[in-house]
Amino acid sequence: MGYFKKVLIANRGEIARRIIRTCNKEGIQTVAVYSEADAEAPYVSEATEAVCIGPAQAKKSYLDIEKVIQVAKETHADAIHPGYGFLSENPEFVRRCEEENIVFIGPTAETIHIMGSKLEARTQMQKAGVRVVPGTDKSIESVDEALLIANDLGYPLMLKASAGGGGIGMKLVQDDAELIKVFDATKQQANSFFSDGTVFLEKWISKPRHIEVQIVADTYGNVLHLFERECSVQRRNQKVLEESPSPFLNETLRKELLEAAIRGVKQIDYTNVGTMEFIFDENQNFYFLEMNTRLQVEHPITEEITGLDLVELQLKIAAKEKLTITQEEINKTGHAIECRLYAEDPNTFFPSPGVISRLKLPENDVRFDFGVIEGSAVTPYYDPMIGKIIVHGLTRDQAITKMQRVLEEIDVQGVKTNLLLLKQIMKSNQFISGNYTTQFLAENKVQVLKG
């Protein structure tokens, strides 16, 4: 790949290491940026060069657009890869990259802006003929307006921040009294977190399944799907475990879902790698939920079943290369599962920062995308994910058996982790049957957490 000589990675931890791996393979130099808290992190020494961009607090380091741009210019980086989180879905950051003639490895600022607004995204999907959850298509300005709409739609409902994400700015309301109680606070929270107080109402789908479609689109109008990922094992709207393909879909439903995702992507002229997220109700109806305009945490399971390197595809598309594969040439082989290992209390889910005094990982037939090594510190400043455990099997049963074995062989000391929780999930009859929803952890709390 002759276009990029040097790529700055505007991120940290496991995703920075993941991007470095592909850049090394492609002969591209890398620039790591790091906060003072991450000075000893493995990715810092693994990059071609590394620059400290500020104190531990993300706002003063990883979220400081001007500092990141400054380092990119000083190190003569051709492009910036944002990873996920931090600045990855910030249209202002993309605009600054464009102004400085630095390639942003992702979609355009305009696309990120459109899909960052849940209301605008709903509008675009409806234009593409993709079903959205029944709800409002414009901002709700007052609690009185909200009550009128709520009684028309019927409870239960979700009150959502249009600019929200990660479970923030979402409230489930069962009746008028609850809506009155949370309306102003939700608008204020949306303003505080996202500088956008726009809120809207959607029907609450009880016991949904959360299934997403990985898409790839070049700058020449070629759009491909890389099949789907099942992401229904969640706690507090955060994914804990993902698998691909989904055990829920039959081939007819899968085809319908994949085609809907492609239509949605074409509607907004999307380029680079992205993920269309959907929820399924109990009657197998599916609805567009949101789009993530970046690489997903769970992208490795897609790589395992397709044999494709998603970071490599990102780099090539950003370098204006045309996709050289066709949809017919992309095959899914076997089954992949990813578990997210967190430094957290498995009962309360509170972060458990500290030094990893022991990290023993099995070496055979498993992929680890970890941000740490033995002796690394898990700081209280960032997401407490230690890393991702990924297995692939010829069948789902084989993948489950493999993951069960791998989890038993892992030994992490020095911090509390959710390893016990992951073991219990993998042994749960409900998970093994494939018949689970986003309520799985809540419904199985006693069995899952206490064994």
Side-chain angles (χ1 to χ4, degrees), residues 110-177:
E110 178 62 20
T111 301
I112 293 174
H113 174 73
I114 288 169
M115 299 316 282
S117 162
K118 287 183 168 60
L119 277 176
E120 182 58 33
R122 282 172 62 87
T123 300
Q124 292 295 329
M125 291 307 107
Q126 286 171 308
K127 285 181 182 176
V130 178
R131 284 193 300 267
V132 298
V133 179
T136 56
D137 294 319
K138 62 184 182 66
S139 173
I140 301 173
E141 301 305 324
S142 69
V143 70
D144 290 336
E145 185 185 357
L147 290 168
L148 283 171
I149 292 165
N151 283 283
D152 187 41
L153 285 170
Y155 292 100
L157 293 164
M158 285 295 284
L159 180 64
K160 286 186 171 184
S162 179
I168 298 167
M170 292 167 55
K171 292 287 189 300
L172 173 62
V173 290
Q174 303 283 357
D175 52 37
D176 284 0

Side-chain angles (χ1 to χ4, degrees), residues 11-12 33-39 43 51-64 67-68 71 86 379-382:
N11 219 294
R12 62 178 297 279
V33 292
Y34 65 95
S35 73
E36 290 167 5
D38 278 335
Y43 80 94
V51 180
C52 182
I53 53 166
Q57 296 91 334
K59 279 188 177 179
K60 296 179 179 178
S61 51
Y62 299 107
L63 289 171
D64 190 323
K67 278 185 184 172
V68 173
V71 173
F86 293 132
T379 77
Y381 301 105
Y382 317 114

Side-chain angles (χ1 to χ4, degrees), residues 390-422:
I390 306 109
V391 299
H392 180 268
L394 293 176
T395 64
R396 183 171 185 265
D397 286 347
Q398 192 183 96
I400 289 172
T401 301
K402 195 177 286 189
M403 183 63 85
Q404 288 171 340
R405 173 186 60 79
V406 167
L407 293 175
E408 290 298 333
E409 292 177 9
I410 291 173
D411 183 16
V412 186
Q413 302 293 332
V415 294
K416 291 181 181 178
T417 74
N418 66 334
L419 186 58
L420 174 62
L421 173 64
L422 297 174

Side-chain angles (χ1 to χ4, degrees), residues 273-316:
V273 162
T275 299
M276 297 282 282
E277 305 208 1
F278 297 86
I279 53 172
F280 283 70
D281 67 18
E282 293 176 285
N283 298 316
Q284 298 191 342
N285 299 306
F286 64 84
Y287 306 93
F288 171 80
L289 183 64
E290 64 180 359
M291 184 178 194
N292 288 131
T293 54
R294 54 169 169 78
L295 193 66
Q296 293 278 87
V297 177
E298 56 272 22
H299 77 274
I301 53 174
T302 295
E303 294 182 326
E304 292 298 313
I305 66 160
T306 61
L308 297 170
D309 181 331
L310 267 70
V311 175
E312 181 186 329
L313 287 172
Q314 285 190 294
L315 292 165
K316 288 182 173 178

